[in-house]
Amino acid sequence: MCRWLAYSGSPVLMDRLLYQPQHSLIDQSLHSRMGVETTNGDGFGIGWYTKGRDEPAVFRDTGPAWNNRNLRDLSQHITSPLFFAHIRASTGTAVQQTNSHPFRHGRWLWMHNGAIAEFHRLRRDLCLLLDPVLFPCIEGSTDSEVMFLLALTMGLDEDPPGAVARMAGHVENLAQRHGVQSPLQMTIATTDGEHLWAFRYSSARASRSLFHSNRVETLRRLHPDLAFLRELSDEATVIVSEPLGDLPGVWTEVPESSYGRVARGLHEWQPFVPQPA
């Protein structure tokens, strides 16, 4: 499937997280340890926020991240307090720019690892649930983009956890009517540029891997020799599909069937339960 990274905290160069760690996201594009596929080379994307702009910037491409010179160059020059990065392994839909994550709508970013089982059977009915205003916004052919637009339809602006729960409930309800078993597999990150939410859930209760970094002040005590930690503010948090390295005490696995909100260094994880349609 895919691997992704979300960062929130003091402004940092993207290069510090995308390329420099021992098991960076770029390394994972070739050598994933916990993904369904070892290689994630079916496109990539980054999305980031800058001071004074409400809408995020997005750069996406169809080739593999590991050899993209533009991505390497940009990551050495872009500093942001909140950014997403995603490397894609297609689950069957086309390798094209409009299918690369993260997806953007207004001030929102969204990225996903997982799949809706037998999406080709459910796609039409799911799209008919979309707000008519959002229907023309469909650019690609992925289940991930439809999930995003469904969440927007169901109130992402006002209630992100509730909107994602309602989206998941509609997917499972529709799948049940079509006889599709265990339809939903998802780790999702979404943000409005201020707060970051992450979700880990699957219908089979066997979700793809997801981890968050521990508090920076704790990491400084554990690893006082790491200069990078002195550059970060106490509220800095990274959420990743798999850890960026093997240093002890840095990463904690996100609980199964849970969601969390990250703001000012706090991440509060609560049970995630789809709301029945």
Side-chain angles (χ1 to χ4, degrees):
M1 293 189 179
C2 308
R3 305 279 82 184
W4 58 255
L5 173 154
Y7 171 80
S8 175
S10 52
V12 296
L13 275 174
M14 288 189 184
D15 176 74
R16 298 304 300 265
L17 292 174
L18 296 188
Y19 285 91
Q20 293 189 25
Q22 171 192 7
H23 188 49
S24 69
L25 193 69
I26 304 305
D27 180 66
Q28 292 175 33
S29 67
L30 271 172
H31 306 296
S32 172
R33 300 173 183 174
M34 298 181 178
V36 176
E37 299 87 4
T38 301
T39 303
N40 298 271
D42 295 329
F44 68 86
I46 53 175
W48 68 97
Y49 294 83
T50 54
K51 187 176 181 179
R53 299 296 298 268
D54 292 332
E55 292 190 359
V58 172
F59 171 59
R60 302 184 294 176
D61 208 344
T62 57
W66 65 77
N67 67 356
N68 190 283
R69 296 177 64 184
N70 290 327
L71 177 62
R72 179 177 288 276
D73 189 61
L74 286 171
S75 71
Q76 293 172 348
H77 291 82
I78 295 174
T79 299
S80 175
L82 201 166
F83 65 87
F84 282 5
H86 186 280
I87 51 177
R88 182 172 183 245
S90 172
T91 55
T93 50
V95 177
Q96 59 192 47
Q97 191 178 90
T98 53
N99 284 345
S100 293
H101 308 219
F103 300 100
R104 174 181 61 186
H105 183 82
R107 70 180 190 272
W108 287 93
L109 287 175
W110 173 283
M111 59 185 176
H112 167 234
N113 172 35
I116 296 176
E118 300 193 51
F119 177 60
H120 63 285
R121 293 177 54 195
L122 309 181
R123 181 181 180 186
R124 176 182 178 277
D125 288 345
L126 288 173
C127 288
L128 289 175
L129 295 172
L130 298 178
D131 184 326
V133 174
L134 293 173
F135 189 85
C137 299
I138 300 173
E139 293 186 329
S141 56
T142 65
D143 49 2
S144 304
E145 184 182 26
V146 171
M147 291 166 70
F148 179 31
L149 295 175
L150 277 171
L152 285 165
T153 297
M154 295 174 187
L156 190 65
D157 279 317
E158 297 80 23
D159 176 20
V164 176
R166 288 186 287 274
M167 176 275 292
H170 275 79
V171 170
E172 291 190 329
N173 181 68
L174 181 62
Q176 183 179 28
R177 298 206 311 265
H178 283 263
V180 177
Q181 301 298 314
S182 301
L184 195 55
Q185 176 69 249
M186 67 180 210
T187 61
I188 288 170
T190 189
T191 180
D192 60 359
E194 182 176 358
H195 301 291
L196 164 65
W197 289 266
F199 301 81
R200 185 186 186 205
Y201 174 78
S202 66
S203 303
R205 308 301 190 270
S207 303
R208 301 292 180 249
S209 58
L210 194 65
F211 295 80
H212 66 81
S213 61
N214 293 319
R215 295 185 65 88
V216 172
E217 56 190 25
T218 301
L219 300 183
R220 290 195 193 106
R221 291 196 296 269
L222 288 173
H223 305 285
D225 54 325
L226 294 182
F228 175 54
L229 294 175
R230 294 194 291 272
E231 301 173 16
L232 298 177
S233 59
D234 289 344
E235 68 267 20
T237 301
V238 187
I239 302 177
V240 290
S241 295
E242 58 187 79
L244 304 182
D246 300 324
L247 286 173
V250 174
W251 304 101
T252 296
E253 186 173 10
V254 172
E256 174 67 51
S257 300
S258 66
Y259 77 93
R261 182 176 72 95
V262 174
R264 300 177 181 86
L266 299 175
H267 26 82
E268 306 162 351
W269 300 98
Q270 302 180 48
F272 179 80
V273 180
Q275 293 185 15

